[in-house]
Amino acid sequence: MENRKIKVAFFDFASCEGCQLQVLNLENELLDILKHIEIVEFREAMSEKSDDYLIAFIEGSITKPSDIDRIKKIRKNAKVVVALGACATHGCVNSMKNTFDIEDVKRTTYGEGAKYFEDNNAKPFETYKQAMPISSVIKVDYYIRGCPINTDEFLMVLKALLSGKKPDIEDSPVCLECQIKGNICLYDKGEICLGPVIRGGCGAWCPSNNFPCTGCRGFVDMPNIERMKEIIRKKGLNPDEVDKKLQLFNSWDLTEDKLILKENKNG
Ligand code: SF4
Ligand code: SF4
Ligand code: SF4
């Protein structure tokens, strides 16, 4: 009997493309994966393009007006949209710019002498004031978190989708996995770790290797930052460090007056 392959496409917006690279790094699994799916678009790996796909994996943040039509078209074409990696799920390092004055951001990035500051006829600088997760513009069905993504989690989600099941994505804090592993809490070693408010699923990778969690998987639902700060204070550490640390990966969630460009729930 003919094995009908599911058509899958990969897309990228503002990102370092490291999450797509993680998929390409699945050298031991790729041949097996390709028995079940047909990849019809994946700019990092092939030049073909197609509008005919069932599942779209989208990496990267929305940062400029021309992203909008493109991502809405992807949503329209795909039955299932999966946000791939922290840039897509919650803005990641791109959203650090949201906390700065946009003119300072432009000047710092392109320099004082950049053409668009001198020539009124030049194409206007094409960027939004904020970098946004893709859910600000379209409906997202599933989220694969992390900077970069965890390949085991990618495979779990892909397998679930191919078998018509809902992927079982972790939603408890990093601390849970950390404690299950029997790690000594880094607070007791004088380090500030964001584990209590950050979504697990990475196997508490950083604290298990003696590094504090810096929050790459984004917040748990209803993070209690004040409670975390209280614990940090009780441990004799400086809770003010928390806000600085959260800026690295989680500036979007801390952005006031978030830009939301979604017209309706189906994007
Ligand atoms: S989540 Fe991290 S690794 Fe993935 S594209 Fe964004 S910056 Fe790169
Ligand atoms: S080291 Fe971090 S993740 Fe582990 S228990 Fe302590 S605060 Fe939580
Ligand atoms: S421990 Fe924190 S920073 Fe490290 S991989 Fe997990 S979520 Fe990301």
Side-chain angles (χ1 to χ4, degrees), residues 153-169:
E153 192 170 32
F154 170 80
L155 288 172
M156 180 277 290
V157 170
L158 182 63
K159 281 181 195 160
L161 295 177
L162 295 182
S163 26
K165 292 183 188 151
K166 195 172 167 209
D168 183 16
I169 297 173

Side-chain angles (χ1 to χ4, degrees), residues 57 80-85 89 140-146 149-150 152-161 165-173 177 199-202 217 219-221:
F57 288 97
V80 178
V81 166
V82 184
L84 186 72
T89 61
V140 175
D141 299 297
Y142 300 106
Y143 296 83
I144 302 180
R145 294 171 183 277
I149 56 159
N150 173 322
D152 287 341
E153 192 170 32
F154 170 80
L155 288 172
M156 180 277 290
V157 170
L158 182 63
K159 281 181 195 160
L161 295 177
K165 292 183 188 151
K166 195 172 167 209
D168 183 16
I169 297 173
E170 182 68 46
D171 62 359
S172 50
E177 289 171 315
R199 201 176 286 263
C202 56
R217 292 177 62 88
F219 284 122
V220 287
D221 292 336

Side-chain angles (χ1 to χ4, degrees), residues 110-123:
Y110 296 103
E112 288 289 350
K115 196 175 173 199
Y116 38 77
F117 288 116
E118 297 168 351
D119 180 356
N120 287 339
N121 296 319
K123 193 170 179 241

Side-chain angles (χ1 to χ4, degrees), residues 146-147 174 198-200 202-207 212-218 249:
C147 176
V174 173
I198 298 301
R199 201 176 286 263
C202 56
W205 175 258
C206 301
C213 171
T214 47
C216 82
R217 292 177 62 88
F249 289 115

Side-chain angles (χ1 to χ4, degrees), residues 173-179 183-188 191-196 204 207-208 211-213 228:
V174 173
C175 284
L176 183 68
E177 289 171 315
C178 187
Q179 293 296 289
N183 296 333
I184 296 171
C185 180
L186 290 171
Y187 290 168
D188 294 325
E191 299 258 24
I192 291 181
C193 174
L194 301 178
S208 300
F211 291 104
C213 171
M228 178 173 70

